[in-house]
Amino acid sequence: MSLRINILYGSQNGTARNIAETLEKDLLNENVPASLMELNNYKKAQFTDKTINFIIISTTGDGEPPDNSIDFYNDLISGKKEVCSLLKNKKYGILGLGDSYFTYFCKPAKDIDLKLQEISSVKIVETAYGDDAKNLDEIVENWVKEVKNIVKNSSKIGLETDSISTNSSVEEEKITNIMEGIEITNDDNISESTNSIDYFSEDSYTLSSNDVGEYVIKAENEIENDLEYVPVKLSFDKELLSQITQLKHVIKKPISYLTITSASNLYRSISYSKSQQIFPLIPKKLNSDNNILQYSENNPFSAKVLSTQCLTSKDALKKTVQVTLDITGLNWKYQSGYAFGIIAPNSDKMVLPLLKRLGLDPEDGFRATTTKEALCSGLPVILNKCYTYYEAFKYFININAIPKKAFLRVLAEYCTDIEDKKQLYFLCSSQGASSYRNLKAQYASLLDILYTFKSCHPPFVAILENSTRISPRYYSISSSPLQNSNLISFMFNVHHYIMQNSEDGKYHQRDGLCTGWLDEMLEYPIIQDCIVNFRCKSVNIPIFPKIVNTFVLPPNPLSKNIIMVGAGTGVSPFISFIEYKRQLLEDGQKGDISEEERVKLAEASASWQLFYGCRSNRKDCLIKDYNTLWRQTITNKNIGITMPILDRLEITTSREGNGPKYVQDIMIKPENSNNLRTLLKKRNTYIYVCGNKAMCKGIHEAFSMILQQTTEEAMSNIEAQEYLEILSKEKRYLRDIWG
């Protein structure tokens, strides 16, 4: 039996999946049998002595495995016989992805590596840890290169491969004399009708879409106050490029594996309105056990918008909006703290000019077919299914993603200008690593890339083959299921980011994909706390439940000490926690609290505390409406309980007042730190921290300081860190962290 490769991945937001899919394509292109699957589907893989298992896994939450790998992770780490027997003595390699800014950097990869060594699996490539805070791309590229070398030389590790093609090794390793002139690729796929057309002028332009199916590019001086999307000419270190006489280690051009055919009579009209909703192009699946529709990323549920509310003032630095959705029919028994995903489409502001740039009619249809289905695992659309070009770019192709080096390598083949070709080759080389990092820092979209390289006219098939699918965005539920289990609320900041280092030296603003779409579609007034009723409007959002939710209250939560720390929209899950408790205390009936919890409540005096930070009480405090409400003490004779909703509520403001600026500052004040230290050492205490990685790191350091403060039981720094590690392993210290 010849060598076979299993590529198993755990991916939350698509990065690990994309790396795995690319590796699979490269190996299949070299005639190496390779199977790609999510880690949770490991039982479907073939594990033999002639198999090498390459595991690519990212880190989510606070050092947790992604949803699509958690079953494998739990089975392996717990020593489950079924998985351990499959992997024992088998050859493997691991690539972990994470962010060193987080406390538990690449923890899933490290845990899996240790366990595989423990069960006598054989590591044939050194485990690599891609760091999103530093040099992720270089680490990934080096690991993948090492994997390919090992597979190519598999006889050295006691395995034999089928014949592996090496015809393109020269191209992959070195392009010689590239600075002296580049031979233009005469590819039949380049449309003659687009080679001589420059869709972009140096003038700024705007997009007008008053008529269905029609759009025109206009100069900025023709229309005022109607600016849609202005592409940016990206900047590169041209001096560095001019010093290079020979490029080394240029990424090999990916193979083409699709055939695009015309598809007419799609029987659906295209509307470019702002209320346009996602097409249900993926077949719905029924759960065979209970005949209930299963909703997922590939099959979202259409949730009706009931209301919106702007929670911040007009002069706040960030605009925060709360949305309430009707999920009747979703059949989701959610708990406080659960999260869900939203599938947001690309904006017409970018889609329509991109179609124009590519010379594609939005209403024309196409169908993608192939004879190499194994290469299509990451394809944004479904094979043999008809789409219009507008649908493909609107709902499926991620045109906001920074193109991977392999994609840039493909684009280089369709440049008619030698300087454009040189620059793209340079970005794909080892010498151009710093320039590629600079490209990523500019948040360039595909439209910006094509605007910068004006001579590049790629065919649609090249874009489809090398693009990724739009990934969902996840949001915590801020409502309580006790209020109405068919309603969920969530809040979001309208996210803008700045493109820096453009060639014109100016700063250009871009909108976040999901929050920009929500902000545009919902069309609410910006008057603070004004609630807009959507009950008479037909506005829906495609959502799906997050499969794994660990950021939840413990069993019998009223008898537990609950410490909650968050800033900005990080308070969202805590609103759900606290409202759950308030509604239970106000409306609870006999039987709503178990006898076990009733006994524990009689024995313990549990404390719930919230530490919250914002910039300004007036401008952007997201819990001001709850300030008085949550300080109440409630007596409920039906369940025999008298207790406060919150024992402590501390709010800090970083941009006003003379008191503590940040949440960690108020935590370490003596009156709070003494109380927190006492609670931290109790077995029934649970800590929840929610916010960005910088805030969460500061909170972690504050807890460590509190444990080290001078008392009879003061800990050293090492002891404090080890204690917090124990709390984390026991799931009594949970953190929901984002970038």
Side-chain angles (χ1 to χ4, degrees):
M1 182 185 293
S2 61
L3 169 68
R4 186 170 186 86
I5 305 297
N6 286 331
I7 304 172
L8 304 108
Y9 68 89
S11 182
Q12 192 69 29
N13 297 316
T15 303
R17 181 188 65 202
N18 293 337
I19 295 169
E21 289 168 350
T22 301
L23 177 59
E24 179 205 26
K25 290 178 183 178
D26 289 347
L27 294 178
L28 290 174
N29 188 36
E30 302 291 357
N31 299 319
V32 177
S35 298
L36 176 74
M37 66 190 66
E38 296 179 350
L39 275 163
N40 279 351
N41 295 328
Y42 71 92
K43 295 177 183 178
K44 298 179 181 179
Q46 296 181 19
F47 296 96
T48 70
D49 292 338
K50 297 289 185 178
T51 300
I52 303 178
N53 304 303
F54 292 115
I55 296 173
I56 303 171
I57 185 167
S58 62
T59 312
T60 187
D62 190 20
E64 298 169 352
D67 293 352
N68 62 3
S69 63
I70 198 165
D71 292 341
F72 168 84
Y73 178 85
N74 289 338
D75 289 350
L76 178 66
I77 301 306
S78 65
K80 191 172 181 179
K81 185 177 180 180
E82 184 176 11
V83 63
C84 289
S85 60
L86 289 174
L87 295 172
K88 185 176 182 179
N89 298 323
K90 303 300 188 302
K91 297 177 176 62
Y92 77 95
I94 296 178
L95 171 64
L97 304 178
D99 189 322
S100 58
Y101 207 98
F102 290 20
T103 305
Y104 303 108
F105 174 60
C106 288
K107 184 176 183 297
K110 293 176 180 178
D111 290 346
I112 292 172
D113 194 10
L114 287 174
K115 189 65 180 182
L116 290 178
Q117 293 181 57
E118 182 182 310
I119 62 174
S120 301
S121 296
V122 181
K123 186 191 298 189
I124 62 170
V125 57
E126 195 62 35
T127 300
Y129 304 106
D131 187 353
D132 197 43
K134 296 178 182 177
N135 54 346
L136 176 64
D137 293 305
E138 288 89 336
I139 294 295
V140 171
E141 287 175 15
N142 290 335
W143 184 83
V144 169
K145 184 178 180 181
E146 184 64 23
V147 164
K148 291 179 183 178
N149 287 336
I150 286 175
V151 172
K152 183 177 178 180
N153 300 301
S154 56
S155 59
K156 295 180 181 180
I157 56 172
L159 299 174
E160 295 180 356
T161 66
D162 294 330
S163 177
I164 296 180
S165 171
T166 58
N167 294 333
S168 56
S169 61
V170 174
E171 177 190 20
E172 184 176 8
E173 291 298 321
K174 183 184 299 184
I175 295 181
T176 60
N177 300 323
I178 194 169
M179 296 298 108
E180 297 177 4
I182 299 176
E183 180 181 355
I184 304 303
T185 302
N186 294 316
D187 196 320
D188 293 336
N189 290 328
I190 302 180
S191 172
E192 293 181 1
S193 63
T194 62
N195 277 347
S196 60
I197 299 176
D198 185 2
Y199 288 107
F200 290 126
S201 67
E202 290 297 326
D203 297 325
S204 300
Y205 67 91
T206 59
L207 172 68
S208 173
S209 55
N210 297 323
D211 299 321
V212 173
E214 296 182 3
Y215 56 96
V216 292
I217 304 299
K218 299 185 178 181
E220 185 176 5
N221 56 9
E222 293 181 25
I223 297 180
E224 295 182 357
N225 301 320
D226 192 27
L227 192 63
E228 291 285 337
Y229 185 99
V230 179
V232 173
K233 193 169 185 179
L234 307 169
S235 72
F236 301 100
D237 189 343
K238 295 181 179 179
E239 183 179 349
L240 177 61
L241 176 58
S242 67
Q243 298 171 0
I244 303 296
T245 58
Q246 189 179 83
L247 292 181
K248 298 179 181 179
H249 305 297
V250 177
I251 294 292
K252 185 173 66 175
K253 178 187 174 184
I255 64 169
S256 180
Y257 57 91
L258 290 179
T259 299
I260 302 298
T261 56
S262 176
S264 57
N265 301 321
L266 294 182
Y267 302 109
R268 55 174 173 266
S269 61
I270 303 302
S271 171
Y272 301 144
S273 66
K274 291 181 179 180
S275 60
Q276 175 82 11
Q277 298 302 307
I278 193 166
F279 284 90
L281 296 176
I282 307 242
K284 292 178 171 57
K285 295 182 180 179
L286 292 174
N287 184 315
S288 57
D289 296 331
N290 50 26
N291 213 37
I292 295 177
L293 284 172
Q294 298 298 291
Y295 295 101
S296 65
E297 175 183 348
N298 292 329
N299 176 37
F301 173 81
S302 183
K304 177 176 172 55
V305 177
L306 295 181
S307 66
T308 60
Q309 179 181 3
C310 188
L311 301 177
T312 51
S313 68
K314 188 175 181 179
D315 56 345
L317 189 61
K318 289 184 179 180
K319 180 166 62 175
T320 305
V321 180
Q322 180 169 278
V323 182
T324 299
L325 303 175
D326 185 348
I327 60 169
T328 302
L330 180 57
N331 298 306
W332 187 28
K333 295 181 180 179
Y334 74 90
Q335 297 180 30
S336 292
Y338 271 23
F340 65 96
I342 293 179
I343 307 294
N346 290 311
S347 172
D348 285 349
K349 299 175 185 179
M350 191 182 300
V351 171
L352 297 177
L354 181 56
L355 288 168
K356 181 72 174 179
R357 171 64 168 83
L358 294 169
L360 300 172
D361 188 317
E363 295 189 21
D364 280 352
F366 73 91
R367 179 188 291 108
T369 59
T370 187
T371 57
K372 301 178 180 180
E373 290 194 19
L375 297 176
C376 298
S377 55
L379 198 65
V381 299
I382 298 175
L383 287 171
N384 301 308
K385 193 170 184 66
C386 296
Y387 301 85
T388 64
Y389 289 112
Y390 175 79
E391 288 173 342
F393 281 99
K394 176 77 173 179
Y395 303 113
F396 301 104
I397 298 175
N398 188 357
I399 59 179
N400 286 282
I402 308 299
K404 300 293 184 183
K405 289 186 178 181
F407 195 176
L408 296 178
R409 177 70 172 82
V410 170
L411 294 180
E413 299 305 309
Y414 298 101
C415 290
T416 56
D417 180 80
I418 291 180
E419 293 305 314
D420 283 351
K421 188 181 284 281
K422 286 180 181 179
Q423 183 67 70
L424 286 168
Y425 273 134
F426 179 62
L427 289 169
C428 301
S429 69
S430 57
Q431 296 112 307
S434 61
S435 291
Y436 182 71
R437 285 196 296 271
N438 179 59
L439 172 66
K440 294 178 67 175
Q442 294 181 70
Y443 297 104
S445 69
L446 179 58
L447 192 58
D448 296 315
I449 295 288
L450 294 177
Y451 178 66
T452 301
F453 300 99
K454 290 187 179 349
S455 76
C456 183
H457 298 287
F460 172 68
V461 66
I463 291 177
L464 186 61
E465 289 174 338
N466 293 280
S467 296
T468 58
R469 186 168 180 167
I470 296 174
S471 297
R473 271 56 172 176
Y474 292 94
Y475 295 89
S476 295
I477 295 174
S478 60
S479 54
S480 162
L482 292 182
Q483 186 174 15
N484 187 333
S485 60
N486 285 322
L487 301 181
I488 59 172
S489 295
F490 71 100
M491 56 180 64
F492 67 91
N493 290 324
V494 180
H495 179 62
H496 305 293
Y497 55 91
I498 302 299
M499 295 183 68
Q500 301 183 24
N501 304 322
S502 59
E503 191 173 82
D504 60 13
K506 299 178 181 178
Y507 290 88
H508 300 269
Q509 179 177 291
R510 293 288 187 253
D511 296 330
L513 173 64
C514 189
T515 64
W517 173 64
L518 291 172
D519 184 45
E520 180 182 48
M521 179 183 64
L522 295 176
E523 297 181 334
Y524 44 81
I526 59 175
I527 302 173
Q528 190 173 10
D529 299 328
C530 178
I531 298 177
V532 181
N533 193 323
F534 278 72
R535 293 180 186 274
C536 296
K537 302 179 182 180
S538 181
V539 179
N540 295 69
I541 295 176
I543 70 169
F544 64 95
K546 190 174 184 292
I547 298 173
V548 179
N549 293 275
T550 57
F551 202 79
V552 294
L553 289 169
N556 304 320
L558 296 186
S559 61
K560 306 294 193 301
N561 298 311
I562 306 294
I563 301 171
M564 297 164 283
V565 188
T569 54
V571 77
S572 185
F574 303 145
I575 294 175
S576 180
F577 288 178
I578 299 167
E579 282 296 282
Y580 174 87
K581 179 181 180 181
R582 181 182 69 81
Q583 290 156 9
L584 183 59
L585 292 177
E586 287 185 344
D587 305 321
Q589 300 294 318
K590 192 171 183 180
D592 287 343
I593 296 180
S594 66
E595 189 59 35
E596 177 187 4
E597 187 170 13
R598 199 182 304 277
V599 171
K600 289 184 177 180
L601 284 171
E603 295 175 348
S605 178
S607 174
W608 281 43
Q609 304 186 8
L610 173 63
F611 296 86
Y612 172 69
C614 60
R615 292 183 177 86
S616 164
N617 260 315
R618 179 184 65 84
K619 295 179 181 180
D620 59 9
C621 180
L622 305 182
I623 59 171
K624 55 183 177 297
D625 292 342
Y626 299 104
N627 202 343
T628 302
L629 181 65
W630 287 349
R631 298 179 190 274
Q632 294 181 357
T633 295
I634 297 176
T635 298
N636 186 322
K637 295 181 180 180
N638 292 325
I639 55 179
I641 291 176
T642 297
M643 63 189 317
I645 299 173
L646 286 180
D647 299 85
R648 192 181 300 265
L649 173 58
E650 299 281 3
I651 301 176
T652 62
T653 55
S654 60
R655 302 294 175 89
E656 64 183 21
N658 298 317
K661 291 182 64 175
Y662 302 111
V663 182
Q664 55 266 40
D665 296 335
I666 202 166
M667 289 171 59
I668 60 177
K669 290 184 66 175
E671 60 269 30
N672 289 325
S673 64
N674 292 334
N675 175 263
L676 287 171
R677 183 167 51 253
T678 300
L679 293 178
L680 284 172
K681 296 182 179 180
K682 291 187 175 182
R683 289 291 305 171
N684 67 329
T685 295
Y686 290 76
I687 307 164
Y688 297 86
V689 181
C690 185
N692 63 49
K693 60 184 182 182
M695 188 216 76
C696 291
K697 183 176 182 180
I699 299 304
H700 186 83
E701 292 171 351
F703 279 128
S704 177
M705 288 176 59
I706 289 169
L707 290 169
Q708 295 176 59
Q709 286 177 349
T710 305
T711 63
E712 292 182 359
E713 299 178 352
M715 298 181 183
S716 66
N717 179 52
I718 294 177
E719 290 172 332
Q721 296 297 333
E722 290 176 345
Y723 186 77
L724 292 172
E725 175 74 17
I726 291 171
L727 293 182
S728 178
K729 288 181 177 179
E730 294 178 349
K731 303 299 180 184
R732 293 195 290 125
Y733 178 22
L734 299 171
R735 299 190 294 177
D736 187 358
I737 309 174
W738 59 80

